Amino acid sequence: MADIVLINPRFEVSYWGLEHAMPFLGIRAVLPVANLPLLAALTPPGHGVTLVDENVEAIDFERCARADIVGLTGMNVQRLRIKEILRELKRRDVFTVVGGPWVTVREDDLADLADVIFVGEAEETWPRFLTEWEASRYQTRYEQTERTDMATVPAPRLDLLRMKDYAFGSVQFSRGCPFECEFCDIIVTFGRRPRIKSSAQILAELDAIVAAGKHSAFIVDDNLIGNKRAIKLLLRDVVAWQERRGYPLMFATEASIDLAEDAELMQLMVDANIASVFIGIETPNEESLRETKKLQNLRTRGGTMLEKVHRIQKTGMEVWCGIIVGFDNDDTSVFAAQRRFVREARIVHAMVNMLVAIPRTPLYARLAAEGRLDLSDDAASWGGFGTNVIPRRISRQALRAGYIDLMHDLYTPEAYFERLDELYLTAKLQIGRARTRYLRRHPLRRFRLNARLLAEAAAIFLMLMRGVSERALWDEYCHHLMRAAWRRPEPEFIQSYAIKCAMHYHAYQMVQQMHSQPQLSTRAAA
Ligand code: B12
Ligand code: SF4
């Protein structure tokens, strides 16, 4: 029987990481990775499993040295830290295994550092490896021949995580996406046929998230609406669960823009208490959308992309978006176009990336054939705030400068609060409508919830006032929060506005630091 330690290495500062906002929000990380508690649940009985998320606690290497097996997960932006940890463990003669999104697309990057690697999904290979390890006849590389049948996936072992350190719980409904965006490795790894868990599996996971004390959860699907018919059935069960349990969870998720073409689906999502949806907008440049095969964003059924974003907001969900600069069809005019789109769409949280070619994707193959990949292995080349792509119609320097300027312009307090107030004060976006309806029928619950939300808003506000040293920012947060509370004195809105102020602080600090990152400026000039 093995003593197993599974580690999620720490991330560099990122848009999603909210590192600069943590002190105001009273958490250590946004959400736990979904894979480690799942692997723990997949571990046959008898073995002992310890989970370590380096984003919330330091790795105890002495403890690891006593383990029989230490496993690591991680994505492209964690790869340098994965290597550091593996080297440290090797020095201590620890038996190591590694799986997850990065090794799945770049086996050769880690194969020499770990004893065993896992490519792709591991529902079958992880337990098989443990059986073979016990018999001392394990292989050095595992890859499932068949994709996982989601109906067989067990509930993750949340009991092994320090859930109080996270803002969100995480839950996965489905894997796979029917689209074929050229840059996307999700469809390479998980396929284009969405596979979905049963309602019973999902409701049990939701119960466990509530039992762990969470009020919100991130549905970590690649694209929640990949199979619209099936997801509608599932959402109906989630709506019934929310009604039964008194709307204990609010959700965020990721979906494609064709969501706006299906009114019934949008309404079901709102009824299930999905408050925000992250959408890959990528670019308003239609030539670039065509180039990257993001054809769903070009479809005119249901209006333009802008109209679609507005429709989703009108139904009752906030839209977050990913945008990309540096496509072959982008020239320097793309930055202004992106800026305009985000403003007109009233998207408060726009995550900007330079186009990155992830190994095994069609984009990677095309650029490799054209000799347009930078293969150096520094911090910037594989995501984070850099790119491995040598752009076509724009110099690397101009791309990098335009990217930073775009981030800067989107996150000046003026631009950010203009979008936020347009959405919440002028257009009066109301998230959580289903819960509000429910609470009208349950005044005691409403009172308790409102008291919690106001207490949280007050705590965040006080922390901001104490922690923000820049006088101008301090004034902005104070002014906007007071004005918002005056115009919409709803506890839920005030609490979420206070969180938005903290999130602005994070993005603002991150942009300031981008200016001063030497490795990025060097690469830009290369
Ligand atoms: C939800 C999600 C997020 C969430 C949550 C991230 C988090 N911290 O967990 C958010 C929105 C915050 C996010 C952010 C980012 N993400 Co993300 N994210 C996803 C998504 C859609 C699902 C991940 C998930 O939870 N899957 C469910 C679990 C159960 O599946 P899994 O992790 O693949 O694990 C299975 C196997 O891989 C294997 N396995 C995994 N680890 C291990 C370890 C061992 C030892 C073994 C044996 C097996 C094993 O077993 C599991 C069961 O089969 C994936 C796409 C995808 N489907 O992978 C992208 C993905 C992982 N994200 C990606 C990226 C790039 C990012 C960002 C860097 C984006 C950015 N530029 O800022 C940031 C990272 C910043 C941060 N601080 O988190 C890339 C990674 C690319 C790569 N190949 O390395 C992916 C693949 C999507 C993409 N192509 O853009 N992400
Ligand atoms: S819609 Fe998203 S998940 Fe689907 S192929 Fe495109 S980028 Fe990948």
Side-chain angles (χ1 to χ4, degrees):
M1 290 298 150
D3 172 21
I4 304 166
V5 176
L6 298 174
I7 301 176
N8 176 40
R10 69 164 178 260
F11 287 99
E12 297 298 318
V13 172
S14 74
Y15 189 84
W16 287 102
L18 291 186
E19 288 81 2
H20 300 294
M22 291 298 158
F24 311 126
L25 300 177
I27 48 166
R28 285 168 186 254
V30 178
L31 76 163
V33 282
N35 47 33
L36 296 194
L38 172 56
L39 289 168
L42 290 163
T43 304
H47 300 291
V49 183
T50 304
L51 303 186
V52 180
D53 182 352
E54 205 189 358
N55 298 288
V56 303
E57 63 179 315
I59 300 172
D60 178 349
F61 283 100
E62 292 301 317
R63 160 73 185 90
C64 292
R66 293 194 302 275
D68 299 305
I69 301 170
V70 175
L72 273 82
T73 186
M75 24 176 132
N76 50 1
V77 289
Q78 290 164 290
R79 78 199 178 288
L80 297 182
R81 183 62 187 151
I82 300 177
K83 289 183 189 181
E84 278 173 12
I85 297 171
L86 284 174
R87 284 196 193 101
E88 181 61 33
L89 293 171
K90 263 297 135 241
R91 220 173 49 76
R92 295 163 189 259
D93 213 18
V94 179
F95 183 88
T96 55
V97 304
V98 61
W102 177 242
V103 74
T104 292
V105 294
R106 267 296 301 273
E107 290 180 44
D108 60 314
D109 199 35
L110 302 177
D112 292 344
L113 293 171
D115 294 293
V116 179
I117 60 165
F118 290 81
V119 175
E121 297 175 297
E123 275 74 13
E124 288 163 29
T125 46
W126 174 243
R128 173 149 48 92
F129 155 73
L130 288 171
T131 310
E132 294 176 0
W133 177 87
E134 275 190 286
S136 303
R137 50 174 181 80
Y138 59 87
Q139 305 156 39
T140 54
R141 178 187 186 279
Y142 287 83
E143 180 172 8
Q144 286 185 192
T145 44
E146 298 290 323
R147 293 218 158 94
T148 297
D149 172 359
M150 293 298 278
T152 64
V153 176
R157 293 276 312 271
L158 300 189
D159 57 304
L160 298 179
L161 289 168
R162 294 154 54 135
M163 289 297 282
K164 66 172 176 30
D165 289 335
Y166 301 99
F168 288 81
S170 52
V171 56
Q172 188 173 41
F173 286 15
S174 70
R175 290 184 195 160
C177 172
F179 296 114
E180 47 185 335
C181 308
E182 189 192 26
F183 55 81
C184 179
D185 62 326
I186 289 173
I187 44 178
V188 175
T189 306
F190 299 95
R192 291 186 52 210
R193 192 177 60 80
R195 291 161 287 140
I196 306 185
K197 288 181 189 164
S198 70
S199 294
Q201 285 171 290
I202 286 164
L203 300 189
E205 290 191 35
L206 299 185
D207 281 333
I209 294 173
V210 176
K214 295 288 106 181
H215 304 296
S216 27
F218 198 99
I219 304 172
V220 298
D221 293 28
D222 310 321
N223 178 3
L224 179 71
I225 61 161
N227 178 340
K228 294 200 180 79
R229 249 171 66 130
I231 212 69
K232 281 182 189 174
L233 293 175
L234 199 59
L235 285 173
R236 287 202 173 90
D237 290 331
V238 176
V239 175
W241 177 87
Q242 293 275 31
E243 279 288 327
R244 236 179 7 255
R245 303 263 345 233
Y247 286 83
L249 284 180
M250 187 162 252
F251 296 107
T253 193
E254 309 188 339
S256 43
I257 188 85
D258 52 313
L259 167 62
E261 296 163 23
D262 193 326
E264 184 192 18
L265 181 53
M266 285 192 289
Q267 193 54 51
L268 275 169
M269 287 170 68
V270 169
D271 291 346
N273 214 20
I274 297 180
S276 52
V277 55
F278 178 89
I279 295 183
I281 294 289
E282 323 306 6
T283 178
N285 180 349
E286 296 195 352
E287 284 311 308
S288 296
L289 287 173
R290 219 161 278 131
E291 157 201 328
T292 201
K293 297 197 171 52
K294 192 123 198 161
L295 305 180
Q296 67 274 27
N297 287 26
L298 281 167
R299 278 206 315 235
T300 49
R301 182 154 39 113
T304 60
M305 272 210 295
L306 191 63
E307 287 163 347
K308 288 179 185 176
V309 171
H310 285 170
R311 188 165 321 130
I312 297 169
Q313 294 165 336
K314 200 164 172 215
T315 314
M317 284 176 283
E318 183 175 335
V319 175
W320 295 36
C321 80
I323 59 183
I324 297 178
V325 289
F327 289 110
D328 286 2
N329 280 286
D330 285 351
D331 57 26
T332 47
S333 67
V334 75
F335 305 111
Q338 294 277 20
R339 215 172 277 131
R340 195 167 48 247
F341 183 89
V342 173
R343 194 187 66 240
E344 289 175 359
R346 307 172 301 207
I347 293 177
V348 184
H349 303 288
M351 197 186 80
V352 190
N353 280 306
M354 287 182 252
L355 181 67
V356 172
I358 297 178
R360 295 184 62 190
T361 59
L363 174 68
Y364 191 89
R366 176 166 71 80
L367 295 183
E370 293 172 13
R372 291 175 49 214
L373 286 176
D374 174 349
L375 297 172
S376 57
D377 186 37
D378 66 18
S381 53
W382 295 105
F385 307 131
T387 177
N388 57 352
V389 174
I390 299 167
R392 170 159 278 162
R393 294 180 61 187
I394 185 172
S395 72
R396 297 186 91 187
Q397 218 156 357
L399 176 62
R400 158 90 183 139
Y403 164 71
I404 295 204
D405 285 350
L406 177 57
M407 279 297 281
H408 172 269
D409 294 352
L410 292 177
Y411 291 100
T412 61
E414 298 74 31
Y416 181 86
F417 284 103
E418 182 193 330
R419 299 196 298 277
L420 183 61
D421 290 351
E422 270 296 312
L423 184 63
Y424 280 95
L425 296 181
T426 309
K428 292 207 169 11
L429 168 67
Q430 200 195 349
I431 54 172
R433 283 178 190 169
R435 180 166 73 178
T436 307
R437 268 198 312 269
Y438 170 90
L439 290 173
R440 266 192 221 120
R441 290 179 270 126
H442 297 84
L444 187 60
R445 277 177 191 245
R446 186 174 65 208
F447 176 79
R448 277 208 304 259
L449 177 71
N450 286 347
R452 172 173 69 77
L453 293 172
L454 285 175
E456 284 173 11
I460 297 169
F461 178 67
L462 289 176
M463 298 293 268
L464 274 169
M465 294 301 98
R466 245 192 303 178
V468 173
S469 51
E470 298 90 329
R471 182 70 212 188
L473 277 184
W474 196 96
D475 286 345
E476 291 282 352
Y477 298 153
C478 217
H479 161 75
H480 282 285
L481 196 49
M482 293 302 167
R483 179 165 162 267
W486 175 255
R487 299 230 347 230
R488 275 187 77 171
E490 305 148 30
E492 187 160 14
F493 170 68
I494 297 171
Q495 183 248 21
S496 93
Y497 205 98
I499 295 175
K500 298 284 190 201
C501 290
M503 291 176 76
H504 173 263
Y505 186 74
H506 169 67
Y508 184 82
Q509 294 298 330
M510 207 182 77
V511 175
Q512 304 299 311
Q513 283 173 9
M514 278 179 180
H515 281 287
S516 56
Q517 278 194 16
Q519 100 267 18
L520 293 175
S521 346
T522 320
R523 289 180 53 73

